[in-house]
Amino acid sequence: MSTPSTQRDNYEAVISGASADVASFENHHKGFVGRFHDVLHATPAIVPLIVLVTATLVFGLVLGSKFFSPFALTLILQQVQIVGVLAAAQTLVILTAGIDLSVGALAVLCSVIMGQFTFRYGISPYFAVICGLACGTGIGAVNGWLVSRVKLPPFIVTLGMWQVVLAANYLYSANETIRAQDIEEQAPFLQFLGTKVQFAGATFTFGVILMLVLVLVLAYALRSTAWGRHVYAVGDDPEAAELAGVNVRRTLMSVYMLVGFICALAGWVMIGRFGSVSPSATTGVIGNIQSITAVVIGGISLFGGRGSILGAFFGALIVGVFELGLRMAGANPQWTFLLIGALIIGAVAVDQWIRKVSA
């Protein structure tokens, strides 16, 4: 019978003669397509950025200096400021694998509340703006409660809310438009985000600056905070996220409330952009489609859990570049819809390709 010391000597003898190599995996050489796919998977905003730069260069070469002028380039920012803010809101919902069809109507309603509170009730425009922001946040909370607590599909909830908000908008305002001249004379603060500033020959508005700051803040929050990681986790797999300790309901509530607040900001931007307050503004009907278009072109997956807020911003700029470039070239406006439609299909195809190769 062997003693413990003998067993130890045998064990040490076996160990000393064992191979010192560690387990390794064969390193497969990836071609250009494989490396390009890895880059796209890690940074989805690269594709819309490439499209944006390419479109800008093409229109610049065709149209010359009049397209590359500071006025023309900043005009694009001014044209997409409303869509850019709405796209930022839409991005948050789509990252959670949902969709919000009420963002445009909610923005219009909040702008009407700001105007009506000021002119109908004589409330200070500063407080009226706060009331509009609170109203947007509250409606977002209702959407979030129905999605997270009642477990209704986001598509159905926001489709119904779109109709409710549109109807409430017309009923509350009595289809009354508040003229830009009246706002300028009695409540100029409502038009504050339309104030223009000059910088290096370019013209910016405070609405454009708000859009840029909002995109940067949300990009940081989604990339570098626990809340942002929870948003991606909920969109990728809510059940796995809950098992990992993520409060899925609270995350969804925070997203929809923030979306409502951002939509209210878009309503304030609308007043600055158009000057007037109109319940029949086209944003209430087409703002939803415009925001989804920017998000899809921006490379954000409609299945949730993947994408970047910067991509949505680039998507909005792509639409603005095509609209301005074709208008300056004197082309038929229908070409804009044709090209944007092709971009939407192409963006979804690229997303499916990335997901298929990743799987």
Side-chain angles (χ1 to χ4, degrees):
M1 183 175 181
S2 59
T3 63
S5 60
T6 305
Q7 294 176 350
R8 185 177 64 253
D9 293 340
N10 293 337
Y11 172 77
E12 291 176 350
V14 172
I15 291 298
S16 62
S19 174
D21 296 336
V22 297
S24 61
F25 298 95
E26 184 178 356
N27 185 19
H28 296 283
H29 176 72
K30 291 186 177 181
F32 174 78
V33 175
R35 292 194 300 270
F36 183 62
H37 165 262
D38 291 341
V39 172
L40 295 184
H41 186 72
T43 314
I46 286 183
V47 173
L49 179 59
I50 293 174
V51 175
L52 175 62
V53 173
T54 303
T56 303
L57 291 176
V58 169
F59 282 117
L61 292 174
V62 172
L63 300 173
S65 59
K66 65 178 182 179
F67 183 82
F68 273 137
S69 66
F71 172 77
L73 295 178
T74 52
L75 181 60
I76 295 173
L77 289 173
Q78 294 181 42
Q79 290 179 335
V80 304
Q81 58 186 316
I82 300 173
V83 176
V85 175
L86 291 178
Q90 191 72 254
T91 298
L92 297 177
V93 180
I94 291 181
L95 284 177
T96 63
I99 197 167
D100 195 334
L101 300 177
S102 65
V103 291
L106 183 52
V108 175
L109 176 62
C110 292
S111 70
V112 167
I113 288 175
M114 294 175 188
Q116 292 293 337
F117 273 36
T118 301
F119 287 87
R120 183 184 297 183
Y121 307 126
I123 295 177
S124 166
Y126 304 98
F127 186 67
V129 170
I130 294 175
C131 291
L133 296 175
C135 177
T137 306
I139 295 177
V142 173
N143 286 338
W145 181 78
L146 291 173
V147 171
S148 64
R149 297 286 180 176
V150 187
K151 302 296 184 182
L152 296 180
F155 181 89
I156 302 301
V157 169
T158 57
L159 177 63
M161 187 60 72
W162 174 51
Q163 299 286 349
V164 170
V165 170
L166 274 182
N169 175 35
Y170 286 107
L171 291 172
Y172 175 67
S173 66
N175 206 14
E176 174 190 2
T177 297
I178 303 175
R179 300 184 307 166
Q181 298 91 326
D182 297 333
I183 297 177
E184 186 176 358
E185 292 175 2
Q186 303 178 40
F189 181 72
L190 295 180
Q191 299 176 338
F192 173 74
L193 293 180
T195 305
K196 295 182 179 180
V197 292
Q198 300 289 332
F199 179 77
T203 302
F204 297 90
T205 64
F206 286 140
V208 170
I209 296 174
L210 172 66
M211 175 186 65
L212 297 175
V213 171
L214 177 66
V215 168
L216 293 176
V217 169
L218 289 178
Y220 171 80
L222 289 171
R223 185 184 66 252
S224 304
T225 67
W227 175 82
R229 291 190 291 272
H230 291 173
V231 170
Y232 280 102
V234 169
D236 189 48
D237 190 335
E239 294 181 358
E242 193 160 9
L243 291 174
V246 176
N247 192 323
V248 174
R249 292 179 177 178
R250 184 183 301 171
T251 302
L252 287 174
M253 278 293 296
S254 66
V255 166
Y256 280 93
M257 290 178 68
L258 180 57
V259 165
F261 177 79
I262 295 173
C263 289
L265 286 177
W268 193 15
V269 173
M270 285 176 56
I271 301 177
R273 172 65 176 162
F274 302 133
S276 60
V277 174
S278 174
S280 58
T282 57
T283 303
V285 178
I286 67 173
N288 313 317
I289 301 301
Q290 291 176 331
S291 65
I292 295 172
T293 298
V295 169
V296 172
I297 294 177
I300 297 174
S301 175
L302 291 174
F303 300 99
R306 196 182 69 83
S308 166
I309 195 80
L310 292 176
F313 175 61
F314 295 149
L317 288 179
I318 289 170
V319 175
V321 167
F322 274 104
E323 289 181 348
L324 181 63
L326 292 174
R327 189 183 307 123
M328 294 178 69
N332 190 316
Q334 298 305 321
W335 280 104
T336 303
F337 296 105
L338 188 151
L339 292 174
I340 291 174
L343 285 174
I344 292 174
I345 296 174
V348 175
V350 169
D351 176 65
Q352 292 283 35
W353 173 69
I354 293 175
R355 282 180 170 272
K356 181 178 179 180
V357 177
S358 298

